[in-house]
Amino acid sequence: MLGRIINLLPRDWLVYLYKHFPFKRLKNWIVYRAQHKFLVSVLGIITNESGQIMLLKHVYREEPWGIPGGWMELEKPEEGLKREIYEETKLNVTITGIAQAKYGSNPVRIDLIYTGKIVEGTFVPSSEISDIMFCDLDDWPEGMPEVQKRLIKEILSRS
């Protein structure tokens, strides 16, 4: 509601008010409330020592197999992905680079897709992940979303 009201004001007025408003905390609160919000997800195309792709079986999805990932908290994206993978699998990974950033609309979000490798650990099922598998490109399990298959192929074809 506040955002809609503020967006009705001319941009020049908003800049003037921001520059001259004396109460910094209140000013920052108003700016925060007036801005659109969206989520940031971190996703990983993680491979083992043989170059096979790690897929996880998510217990809450209709198409359960897919790449690891989750929502960022107040952390660096790479650390968020490592944390998510460890929480869900007990595997430690190293992140080798960012492969792509994409906009998603349901929910509104930015997806940061990274590549990485497994460093150590033994898979332990969690409340979110019931199984793990490693597969070669195009040797997908039944129940994997087409969008993730295309994403993996696109990213791995660049490297």
Side-chain angles (χ1 to χ4, degrees):
M1 177 72 174
L2 181 61
R4 288 185 182 149
I5 294 169
I6 289 174
N7 286 328
L8 293 175
L9 297 173
R11 183 69 59 201
D12 293 346
W13 291 12
L14 293 173
V15 171
Y16 179 84
L17 288 171
Y18 185 82
K19 185 175 179 181
H20 293 89
F21 196 79
F23 306 105
K24 185 176 181 179
R25 290 183 71 189
L26 178 58
K27 175 173 59 175
N28 289 339
W29 181 85
I30 291 170
V31 169
Y32 176 78
R33 293 284 180 239
Q35 297 300 312
H36 296 289
K37 309 293 184 292
F38 60 91
L39 297 167
V40 178
S41 73
V42 286
L43 304 164
I45 298 175
I46 308 297
T47 56
N48 62 12
E49 64 281 347
S50 302
Q52 294 176 306
I53 304 148
M54 179 174 76
L55 298 177
L56 304 177
K57 188 172 187 181
H58 299 80
V59 300
Y60 52 88
R61 293 184 183 169
E62 286 182 31
E63 294 178 292
W65 288 101
I67 60 177
W71 301 115
M72 271 184 51
E73 295 177 8
L74 300 175
E75 60 201 339
K76 292 179 180 179
E78 298 90 341
E79 296 303 316
L81 180 57
K82 288 163 63 172
R83 175 191 49 77
E84 281 287 339
I85 292 171
Y86 184 79
E87 286 176 1
E88 294 176 351
T89 68
K90 298 301 182 228
L91 296 172
N92 289 306
V93 299
T94 184
I95 304 302
T96 55
I98 186 161
Q100 190 174 29
K102 295 175 55 166
Y103 170 79
S105 60
N106 190 14
V108 175
R109 69 191 184 281
I110 298 295
D111 295 329
L112 300 176
I113 301 123
Y114 289 88
T115 56
K117 297 191 179 300
I118 294 176
V119 176
E120 63 183 1
T122 302
F123 172 71
V124 176
S126 68
S127 61
E128 295 180 57
I129 305 299
S130 63
D131 203 358
I132 187 173
M133 74 176 301
F134 294 92
C135 66
D136 294 314
L137 199 59
D138 288 327
D139 188 21
W140 311 118
E142 189 173 318
M144 183 173 169
E146 287 297 321
V147 67
Q148 286 200 5
K149 294 175 188 177
R150 285 191 304 273
L151 177 68
I152 293 167
K153 286 173 81 168
E154 176 187 331
I155 289 172
L156 292 181
S157 70
R158 287 190 237 147
S159 26

